[in-house]
Amino acid sequence: MLRGLTTITYLADDVAAARDWYAEVLGTDAYFAREAGGALAYAEFRIGDYQHELGIMDRRFAPPQPDGAAGAVAYWAVDDVRGAVARLLELGATAYQEPIERGPGFVTAAVVDPFGNVLGVMENSHYRDVLASLTS
């Protein structure tokens, strides 16, 4: 049923500022943008080994959250969790969850971006194994 990640959407009150911050984090510009009411309302990046999509959407277009809904943290694969967290903090994110060893080959951490979104990063041996099988 679930075939893979398509788009993760983060929210921001100032989409242009969020787009610029993520362009700095990712080292690439958004490939798609849409305005509403004369202001940037959505920007999207394609990133990583599988060209996953990261969207930044104006918070006013967010769907309502159901009462008692659990939160979700999307973890992006990185080669070095501690290095990724250090860079994100340097760029203005705030600490949320320090690196945690989850088992052999798995380390997670999370920060909060300057726009209030939880951004998870993960060293994941399964990810590396799948990537290696596709390139060999």
Side-chain angles (χ1 to χ4, degrees):
M1 184 175 99
L2 300 178
R3 301 211 34 194
L5 176 68
T6 59
T7 305
I8 292 177
T9 303
Y10 291 156
L11 303 175
D13 292 321
D14 184 341
V15 175
R19 177 205 53 207
D20 294 347
W21 191 82
Y22 273 95
E24 176 70 19
V25 166
L26 302 169
T28 189
D29 292 325
Y31 80 95
F32 177 81
R34 172 130 326 142
E35 290 188 0
L40 187 61
Y42 184 79
E44 192 169 272
F45 297 85
R46 285 200 177 138
I47 58 174
D49 301 307
Y50 298 103
Q51 294 295 286
H52 290 128
E53 294 177 350
L54 170 60
I56 309 295
M57 181 173 66
D58 189 309
R59 189 177 312 277
R60 64 194 158 126
F61 298 115
Q65 292 294 315
D67 289 340
V73 177
Y75 289 96
W76 295 93
V78 296
D79 294 328
D80 173 13
V81 164
R82 287 165 182 78
V85 168
R87 181 158 190 270
L88 291 165
L89 295 175
E90 178 181 294
L91 292 172
T94 56
Y96 182 70
Q97 185 178 58
E98 295 297 321
I100 299 171
E101 300 278 342
R102 302 286 185 180
F106 299 92
V107 180
T108 65
V111 299
V112 177
D113 74 12
F115 314 96
N117 301 288
V118 176
L119 172 61
V121 292
M122 179 182 212
E123 292 173 32
N124 181 324
S125 61
H126 291 161
Y127 183 92
R128 288 189 298 268
D129 292 345
V130 169
L131 187 58
S133 74
L134 295 174
T135 57
S136 50

